[in-house]
Structures are given as structure tokens and as C-alpha cells.
Amino acid sequence: MTDTPTLPAVSREWHLLSRPVGWPKPEDFALVEAELPQPGEGQVLVRNEYLSVDPYMRGRMSAAKSYAAPYELDRPMQGGAVGEVVVSHAEGIAVGDHVLHFEGWREYAAVKAAQAVKVDPETAPLSTYLGVLGMTGLTAYAGLLRTASFKEGDIVFVSGAAGAVGSQVGQLAKLKGAARVIGSAGSAEKVKLLTDEYGFDAAFNYKDGPVAEQLRAAAPDGIDVYFDNVGGDHLEAAIGALNLHGRIAICGAISVYNNTEPAPGPKNLPRLIQTRGRIEGFLVGDHYDLQPEFVREVGPWVRSGELKYRETTVEGIDNTLEAFLGVLRGDNTGKMIVKL
């Protein structure tokens, strides 16, 4: 056990004060000072360096039953984080090591060693362990290859394609032999990024006109796989464009996360009978068995530059909430990261 003598007396952390109705408001949250946490036996104290903010966090702010427990009111929120160990009471993790864990939204965290994964800043930048080589990357990999049963020669459509998950889905599909990859995004700049940097064959701005019409023009031969990050009119358009035995993987539905009334479902579900199509939702937590395979296959593509990634970095814990709201607005290109 080694202690670092220059630790502060307090740590700042974000608390949820009230459950948002519709769009989250600043008054639903507070950045508070708390006593520096003291790690117990089998725990480490981590000085967080990068925090992750993700769309799924909006669901945890609600009390509705879901796949993850709601955030507790007047308690620190949670999320992916990576940082340096400054105190260790655990075998196998030393002061100075860097770890990935899920006690984010705060400056310092006491983490059980069993829930911390050592990462190497020499192998890849620390921030990538929250994105392209982390949970978002595995989400793309598992959703495309396992849930959507991607195979060489497929035509693939990705919504939210300039985001952290979507951009990786499209590139993985190209690297593994897709016949054509189409993406949708919310600005002309993001559309250009998809085709010029990420290698998508076609892309469109969903704000420019009906999604179904733009998808039909971009994919005249239909689609075999749809990776859904958006829901709503994108899902309906994809069902309309689905080829025989097409597959749809439902990763997210950011277009409806802040709705106060249930969103209407796709009107064309009977088309799944004609196409023998399949829709399946998935959670990355069900696919952690793929992590070693994912790192073995994708790590070299990241290092070689064959698989490109972008990060949108916001500085300072004070701006964590604004970074999260930015994700819901679609301000980010690639993974949204908060640098402390």
C-alpha cells in the first residue's frame, strides 16, 4: 500500500437532484463538493482524467424500470471513466497504474479492484479506452457482427453515423467486405466526414428531407443490415428498404429519449413478413465475451490508421453536464469526452 501525500481534502461530483421531464434542465443537477473518498480493503482511489458521457445516461435519470438501475437522487452519478490510481489497497493494482472503471461524473473515485480494468497509456491514448477501444467500440462490433449477423457483401445502413458507435459500425462493415455502406447524420459537415474520412459509400443529412426518400436514393438496391442508433423515422425507412432476410440491430433511439409521450411505432411492420426480416435489440453488457476478440481484431486497425476515429473533448468537470446535453443535441462528432 502506497499513499500519495498531496491529495486534496475534497472531490467534486455531479448529483442528480430531480428526475428530468422531457429535456434535462440544469436545475435538475448540481456539482457538489464532497469529502475525498477513502478506499477500503480491495479498493483503489482513482484520480479521474477522462469521463464519458453517453446517450444511455438519459434513461438512468428516469425512475422507469429499465435494463440499468436509475441514478439515485442526491447521490453521485455514474459513467465510464479512466484515470490514475493514487492510493491502492488491492493486489495487482499499483499506485501509478491507469484503470478503466464506471465511477465517473466525479474527480476522485474509490473503486473495487474487481471493477477496475488496467489500461496502458503507451499502447493507445487514455481517452480511446472510453471510445474506439472501449464500450462504444465493442458496442459497434457486437451489434454489427453478432446481433445483425453481418456477412461479406451486405449493404449496410447506419443512423447516427457520425457518432462514436455509428462511425465505427460503418468502418467495420467496410473493412469486413460490405458491398455498400450508407450513413445518416445531422449536418453537412458530418455527411462530408462520413464519405471523405470514414469511407462510407454514401451519406445524407436527415434534416434535408424525408429519410425514406433519401435512403431510397442512397441505397437503390435496398439494404441487408440496418444499425439503429436513432429510432423514429429512420427505423421506419429502414424497414421499408429492407431486402429479403434483412436484419436490424437496435442499439439506441436517441430521437425519442426526451419525449414526454410514447413515440408512435413504425407503420410498416408487416413488411417484415414479406422480407422475413428480423429486428433485435441488444446491450453491450451481454457481449463482453467478445472483448478479447474485439481488441485483437480492431486494435491493429486503430494503430495502423485503417480505422479512424474522432473525439469531441470538453474541458473541465464543471462542463460535464453541458457535454452530456451536447450528446443529446448531436453536437459531438465521434465520442464525447470530458477531460479533467
Side-chain angles (χ1 to χ4, degrees), residues 1 15 44 72 79 89 103 114 138 165 220 225 271 295 304-305 328:
M1 181 191 82
H15 287 202
V44 295
E72 293 181 51
H89 290 239
E103 300 296 328
L138 182 60
V165 173
V225 167
R271 194 163 188 281
V295 172
S304 70
L328 297 183

Side-chain angles (χ1 to χ4, degrees), residues 49-52 81-83 100 119-121 124-136 309-313 335-339:
E49 296 181 42
Y50 294 93
L51 307 179
S52 177
V82 65
L100 171 68
V119 296
D120 184 0
L126 286 175
S127 59
T128 63
Y129 294 104
L130 296 174
V132 66
L133 289 178
M135 186 176 72
T136 52
Y309 67 95
R310 290 279 191 98
E311 294 174 344
T312 299
T313 303
K335 183 76 184 74
M336 181 71 90
I337 300 284
V338 179
K339 184 177 187 293

Side-chain angles (χ1 to χ4, degrees), residues 54-66:
D54 302 280
Y56 80 86
M57 293 172 171
R58 176 61 184 89
R60 294 195 66 186
M61 294 170 188
S62 165
K65 187 175 180 182
S66 184

